[in-house]
């Protein structure tokens, strides 16, 4: 049976690719999307979440709007410099047909966990505010979730929003501390692996050759993301693969090396958002999480390519987009 997942997300160009990858993966049953601020404001990320479920006609997948700011620290700059003002590379697509649920994302998550105890995986692709809120409202959530897979953090590598912090953790460090400490089974898919899965300009071109609705959409939104990677990292048209690598972990965990370690999240000061790993087991009383440290990047890239370029099995609406 397919694994039920809720994707908590701040789309976002790489979120878009991750969501489309999950929707094209028969091993996963996407039962809902929950939006969060991050790469853009909550208004923008919620609209994008709706657009993404609608892209290949998955109108039945609900979207619940979530938090518009971090739990404690003030809302900082959203990531439009990486993803565009519209979160989709300044392509400004038409508005979605659907609307978000009236239920808050945290409430949606709790209802799903209670309805399917032990069955639902939470895949977090943005700041962890909605998940932290859910488990703070009801501690039982930690025993009800099947697992929590997080794109976020940096264990033994540099940060991407500060010298030590990865953006999703930095954008709400208190939420991250709650989620890492809640005691549910967590996997951290951080920069240690996501920056090693590199999509070269040739890879992107090969993907675009498929000419399907998803790859055409990616062709439109990705140049902005490529320009950011070039300006900041000098990557000459190549990009890191953050959020899709977390989906790849769900599909092919054998491609990852992920030892169980404790992770402390720094919530203040210059190192705010740093995920500090207890490499030698010296800190007592902290839950262990799986920390992805190694990845077979080629296998992950092949997997993503295969899924996005094959004809989709359950596309509900084949009519071309405007
Ligand atoms: C993470 O931050 C966001 O910009 C991306 O969507 C990804 O989730 C990478 O640090
Ligand atoms: Ca994201």
């Amino acid at each position: 049976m397919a694994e039920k997942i809720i994707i908590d997300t701040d789309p976002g160009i790489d979120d878009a690719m991750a969501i489309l990858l999950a929707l094209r993966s028969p091993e996963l049953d996407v039962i809902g999307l929950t939006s969060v601020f991050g790469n853009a404001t909550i208004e923008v990320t919620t609209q994008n979440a709706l657009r993404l479920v609608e892209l290949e006609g998955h109108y039945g997948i609900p979207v619940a709007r979530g938090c518009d700011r971090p739990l404690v620290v003030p809302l900082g700059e959203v990531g439009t410099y990486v993803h565009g003002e519209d979160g989709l590379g300044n392509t400004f697509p038409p508005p979605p047909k659907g609307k978000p649920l009236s239920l808050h994302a945290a409430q949606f998550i709790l209802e799903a966990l209670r309805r399917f105890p032990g069955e639902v995986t939470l895949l977090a692709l943005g700041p962890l505010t909605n998940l932290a809120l859910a488990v703070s409202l009801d501690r039982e959530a930690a025993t009800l979730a099947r697992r929590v897979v997080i794109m976020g953090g940096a264990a033994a590598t540099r940060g991407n929003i500060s010298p030590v912090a990865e953006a999703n953790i930095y954008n709400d460090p208190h939420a991250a501390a709650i989620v890492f400490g809640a005691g549910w089974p967590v996997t951290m898919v951080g920069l240690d692996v996501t920056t090693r899965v590199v999509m070269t300009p040739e890879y992107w071109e090969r993907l675009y050759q498929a000419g399907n609705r998803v790859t055409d959409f990616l062709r439109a939104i990705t140049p902005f993301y490529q320009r950011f990677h070039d300006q900041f990292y000098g990557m000459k048209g190549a990009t890191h693969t953050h959020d899709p690598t977390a989906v790849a972990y769900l599909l092919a965990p054998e491609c990852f090396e992920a030892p169980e370690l404790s992770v402390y999240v720094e919530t203040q000061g210059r190192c705010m958002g740093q995920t500090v790993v207890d490499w030698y087991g010296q800190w007592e009383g902290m839950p262990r999480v799986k920390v992805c440290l190694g990845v077979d990047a080629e296998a992950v890239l092949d997997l993503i390519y295969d899924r996005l370029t094959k004809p989709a099995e359950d596309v509900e609406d084949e009519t071309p987009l405007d």
Side-chain angles (χ1 to χ4, degrees):
M1 202 171 62
E3 181 171 354
K4 291 184 177 54
I5 67 165
I6 294 174
I7 307 180
D8 187 72
T9 176
D10 60 338
I13 293 170
D14 62 325
D15 298 72
M17 191 178 198
I19 291 164
L20 297 168
L21 173 64
L23 290 172
R24 282 176 155 246
S25 294
E27 303 91 331
L28 302 177
D29 174 12
V30 181
I31 63 168
L33 262 54
T34 50
S35 61
V36 66
F37 74 94
N39 289 327
T41 62
I42 190 67
E43 286 74 25
V44 170
T45 60
T46 306
Q47 291 289 294
N48 287 344
L50 287 162
R51 288 184 173 104
L52 289 160
V53 291
E54 292 177 7
L55 185 75
E56 288 197 294
H58 297 281
Y59 291 99
I61 298 179
V63 172
R65 177 184 155 127
C67 296
D68 64 356
R69 69 191 80 171
L71 294 179
V72 178
V73 297
L75 177 65
E77 191 184 1
V78 291
T80 47
Y81 59 99
V82 183
H83 299 268
E85 287 304 315
D86 62 349
L88 296 174
N90 285 344
T91 54
F92 300 101
K97 296 194 176 103
K99 292 206 172 353
L101 301 174
S102 51
L103 207 60
H104 189 278
Q107 205 60 41
F108 178 81
I109 289 170
L110 287 174
E111 289 197 1
L113 295 181
R114 290 177 192 139
R115 183 159 171 220
F116 304 109
E119 287 184 42
V120 179
T121 289
L122 303 176
L123 173 65
L125 305 179
L128 292 163
T129 323
N130 293 332
L131 270 64
L133 187 56
V135 75
S136 301
L137 287 169
D138 183 357
R139 301 299 300 176
E140 221 199 336
T143 62
L144 294 175
R146 175 167 172 173
R147 55 179 170 158
V148 179
V149 174
I150 296 167
M151 189 285 125
T157 189
R158 65 185 79 177
N160 65 352
I161 197 164
S162 85
V164 295
E166 182 280 328
N168 288 340
I169 307 297
Y170 181 89
N171 283 335
D172 194 344
H174 295 85
I178 291 170
V179 171
F180 276 87
W184 43 18
V186 169
T187 301
M188 172 174 134
V189 185
L191 299 178
D192 303 83
V193 289
T194 66
T195 57
R196 277 154 61 188
V197 182
V198 174
M199 295 186 172
T200 61
E202 296 73 34
Y203 181 90
W204 282 111
E205 266 314 312
R206 211 156 56 85
L207 206 60
Y208 300 153
Q209 296 307 318
N212 65 35
R213 200 183 281 183
V214 164
T215 60
D216 285 355
F217 179 73
L218 293 174
R219 183 200 283 268
I221 67 173
T222 303
F224 193 97
Y225 199 54
Q226 288 173 304
R227 278 195 293 280
F228 164 79
H229 280 79
D230 197 30
Q231 280 160 9
F232 273 73
Y233 307 111
M235 288 177 71
K236 298 185 171 39
T239 60
H240 294 139
T241 310
H242 299 302
D243 295 339
T245 299
V247 178
Y249 175 81
L250 290 176
L251 299 173
E254 68 280 3
C255 295
F256 294 81
E257 185 202 331
E260 294 203 355
L261 298 157
S262 298
V263 175
Y264 166 81
V265 181
E266 180 57 79
T267 54
Q268 55 189 336
R270 211 182 263 276
C271 296
M272 187 176 84
Q274 184 174 10
T275 44
V276 185
V277 172
D278 179 15
W279 299 107
Y280 306 112
Q282 292 166 302
W283 293 333
E284 285 175 14
M286 290 168 64
R288 286 176 169 244
V289 305
K290 289 188 178 159
V291 180
C292 289
L293 295 177
V295 61
D296 181 344
E298 283 311 308
V300 167
L301 288 166
D302 287 349
L303 174 69
I304 295 171
Y305 176 85
D306 284 348
R307 294 297 163 93
L308 297 184
T309 56
K310 275 203 184 109
E313 281 171 17
D314 60 347
V315 172
E316 289 160 24
D317 176 5
E318 289 281 4
T319 52
L321 289 181
D322 305 333

